[in-house]
Amino acid sequence: IALITTAASGKKNTEPGPDDFYFRCKIDGRLYIPNSCANCIPCTLLGDTTFLLGGNAGYESILIGVINVTNEPIKTTAYKLNNNPRQKASYDNSTLVADIYETDSIKKGEIQILTLDKTKRIIQGTFYFRAYNPYRNDSVSVTDGKFRLKYTID
């Protein structure tokens, strides 16, 4: 992730450039950027119909999974994230099962795939979701999500 300092204002610009690879969002209003380790931002297309995206910063992680319910190839469109096990998102902030928040029938979201370059294996999009934790009777809001990543094929 490129970090550019603006001389006139003294503020740091953490916005990625148009050719950068990135994954970022806000969790309850706080900026979340995963670690830059090799396995910290998995992005995978399984066959043509399944897309998995994740971010990991220590014990804090986000996972979004879409198995296209129409069994058509993943394409540039919006996919709903809800209680359907084929289109879900989750947030986890520790190693405990009791700390997992998931989308459900009320706490929903969306992932929008904006570009899908199958030649260069680059995918770009946006996402947001609300997720619920029944153990804690609590919810979390993941907003302003955006990514541009190289993906693997399995």
Side-chain angles (χ1 to χ4, degrees), residues 9 29 44 46 49 66 69 95 99 102 109 113 119 147:
S9 66
T44 307
L46 302 172
T49 62
V66 174
V69 293
T95 58
D99 288 332
E102 295 184 317
I113 297 176
T119 303
F147 62 92

Side-chain angles (χ1 to χ4, degrees), residues 45 76 115-124 151:
L45 266 173
T76 55
T115 60
L116 178 60
D117 185 330
K118 291 187 177 185
T119 303
K120 295 180 181 177
R121 293 188 181 168
I122 297 173
I123 190 165
Q124 182 175 0
Y151 65 85

Side-chain angles (χ1 to χ4, degrees), residues 138-151:
D138 189 27
S139 62
V140 65
S141 181
V142 176
T143 58
D144 301 330
K146 55 186 172 181
F147 62 92
R148 181 178 183 273
L149 298 167
K150 286 192 106 28
Y151 65 85

Side-chain angles (χ1 to χ4, degrees), residues 72-96:
E72 295 176 14
I74 297 292
K75 59 185 177 183
T76 55
T77 191
Y79 295 95
K80 300 293 181 194
L81 304 170
N82 50 42
N83 62 329
N84 183 335
R86 296 171 61 118
Q87 294 186 194
K88 285 188 81 76
S90 67
Y91 167 73
D92 189 1
N93 62 4
S94 82
T95 58
L96 302 174

Side-chain angles (χ1 to χ4, degrees), residues 4-144:
I4 303 167
T5 304
T6 305
S9 66
K11 293 182 181 178
K12 292 181 180 177
N13 178 4
T14 57
E15 286 300 310
D19 295 325
D20 291 342
F21 295 109
Y22 55 87
F23 177 106
R24 61 182 48 220
C25 62
K26 291 182 180 175
I27 299 172
D28 286 337
R30 175 184 52 86
L31 181 63
Y32 173 83
I33 299 175
N35 296 338
S36 58
C37 68
N39 294 321
C40 290
I41 310 174
C43 184
T44 307
L45 266 173
L46 302 172
D48 273 346
T49 62
T50 303
F51 174 60
L52 300 173
L53 173 66
N56 183 332
Y59 292 117
E60 192 174 30
S61 62
I62 289 176
L63 179 63
I64 298 172
V66 174
I67 300 172
N68 197 346
V69 293
T70 63
N71 291 324
E72 295 176 14
I74 297 292
K75 59 185 177 183
T76 55
T77 191
Y79 295 95
K80 300 293 181 194
L81 304 170
N82 50 42
N83 62 329
N84 183 335
R86 296 171 61 118
Q87 294 186 194
K88 285 188 81 76
S90 67
Y91 167 73
D92 189 1
N93 62 4
S94 82
T95 58
L96 302 174
V97 173
D99 288 332
I100 298 173
Y101 295 72
E102 295 184 317
T103 54
D104 61 23
S105 62
I106 298 170
K107 308 293 188 206
K108 303 175 183 184
E110 183 177 278
I111 183 167
Q112 173 86 37
I113 297 176
L114 301 172
T115 60
L116 178 60
D117 185 330
K118 291 187 177 185
T119 303
K120 295 180 181 177
R121 293 188 181 168
I122 297 173
I123 190 165
Q124 182 175 0
T126 61
F127 63 91
Y128 68 89
F129 63 90
R130 297 253 323 139
Y132 179 68
N133 179 314
Y135 296 104
R136 301 193 183 286
N137 192 26
D138 189 27
S139 62
V140 65
S141 181
V142 176
T143 58
D144 301 330

